[in-house]
Amino acid sequence: MAVFPTLPKRFHGPSVWMLYAVGLVPAASAFYLGATGQLPGNAVKEFEHLLGLWALRFLIATLAITPIRDLFAVNWLRYRRALGLLAFYYVLMHFLAYMVLDQTLRFEAIVADIARRPFITIGMAALVMLIPLGLTSNNWSIRKLGQRWNKLHRLVYVIAAAGALHFAMSVKVVGPEQMLYVAMVAALLAWRAIRMRFLRSKRQQAGPIRSRPATEKAAG
Ligand code: HEM
């Protein structure tokens, strides 16, 4: 039984567009506050940090869709693509803020930073892995790639792990905030590892006749 009331079907499409619009508000507000001198401390760093944090939050939200459905019977699959793409846009903006505002496009310094500072190397690796996922997050690619699409998009777990590690390594002393994000990503990875066993035992409890729903197969 679903624990949340279900949204009428006619609101499904608009609610996805609403999510894109609301999802971009933190970036717009951080940009506005930065441009009007209202960000505390070093405005460039603060802007870069906010974008990085939201990137990680959207990555975590993307990965949370499947466990939420498994555990609470709430189907938010329709929002997964929007959440994943929002994560992608935020990582791109975070990277652009780093390149343009932080490093002022000094390419040698950027390359040296990526090569020499392990947390930036890991962040860059996450961005590189995220690009094919962002580019194939559309119906045409799903049709074209078939099963390979599912395999490719499993990379999102590696990307989230890299993002959380990058966050933890970006600070001198790992505090509660970094620990919380690392724990959330670890829990989502653990769920992925035990999910099939959980679903099998749930099916067995429900009785031998019930077959596996198609949506369950698509969720991988
Ligand atoms: C999936 C990809 C990425 C995620 C999720 C991510 C996330 C984050 C987060 C959460 C922070 C810390 C924010 C805070 O302190 O509040 C951060 C900091 C930072 N990230 Fe990323 N990031 C990613 C990719 C990148 C890339 C590609 C670069 C550049 C090549 C980069 C460069 C930096 C830098 C320079 C900092 C700030 C370090 C400082 O405090 O000086 N990140 N990132």
Side-chain angles (χ1 to χ4, degrees):
M1 200 181 66
V3 287
F4 289 104
T6 41
L7 199 65
K9 218 171 173 159
R10 66 179 186 282
F11 294 129
H12 284 184
S15 67
V16 174
W17 288 111
M18 187 78 101
L19 174 58
Y20 278 111
V22 172
L24 289 169
V25 168
S29 109
F31 184 80
Y32 172 77
L33 292 175
T36 52
Q38 295 181 69
L39 280 181
N42 180 334
V44 166
K45 283 276 173 216
E46 192 58 33
F47 183 56
E48 194 180 330
H49 285 191
L50 281 171
L51 295 172
L53 265 185
W54 278 99
L56 197 51
R57 286 171 187 160
F58 281 117
L59 272 173
I60 289 170
T62 310
L63 292 187
I65 294 289
T66 301
I68 286 174
R69 196 188 47 164
D70 295 340
L71 295 169
F72 307 111
V74 179
N75 190 342
W76 284 336
L77 267 182
R78 76 186 81 93
Y79 302 118
R80 198 165 56 176
R81 183 189 294 177
L83 290 169
L85 281 172
L86 282 165
F88 178 52
Y89 301 150
Y90 272 90
V91 174
L92 282 181
M93 290 189 278
H94 175 63
F95 180 56
L96 276 176
Y98 163 77
M99 283 216 312
V100 179
L101 304 174
D102 192 346
Q103 297 291 337
T104 53
L105 292 176
R106 289 171 296 130
F107 288 100
E108 255 174 60
I110 294 169
V111 173
D113 233 11
I114 293 170
R116 283 195 215 123
R117 296 170 79 189
F119 91 92
I120 297 192
T121 316
I122 292 171
M124 195 63 211
L127 169 61
V128 169
M129 286 187 277
L130 203 51
I131 290 170
L133 304 203
L135 295 180
T136 56
S137 286
N138 53 67
N139 294 341
W140 183 82
S141 300
I142 295 173
R143 269 197 311 276
K144 239 5 232 163
L145 294 172
Q147 271 308 308
R148 280 174 301 161
W149 189 91
N150 277 329
K151 279 197 189 136
L152 176 67
H153 279 252
R154 271 179 217 147
L155 263 186
V156 69
Y157 289 92
V158 183
I159 294 164
L165 191 62
H166 164 81
F167 182 22
M169 289 169 73
S170 74
V171 287
K172 285 195 186 84
V173 181
V174 175
E177 197 187 8
Q178 289 79 20
M179 280 186 210
L180 178 69
Y181 282 92
V182 170
M184 280 193 285
V185 172
L188 290 163
L189 292 180
W191 179 254
R192 167 82 213 174
I194 61 160
R195 178 171 185 256
M196 288 329 273
R197 231 174 305 153
F198 169 82
L199 292 179
R200 223 174 291 133
S201 81
K202 210 168 129 183
R203 263 199 304 277
Q204 274 161 8
Q205 278 166 23
I209 309 152
R210 220 183 123 244
S211 70
R212 194 178 171 209
T215 46
E216 212 170 78
K217 290 175 194 163

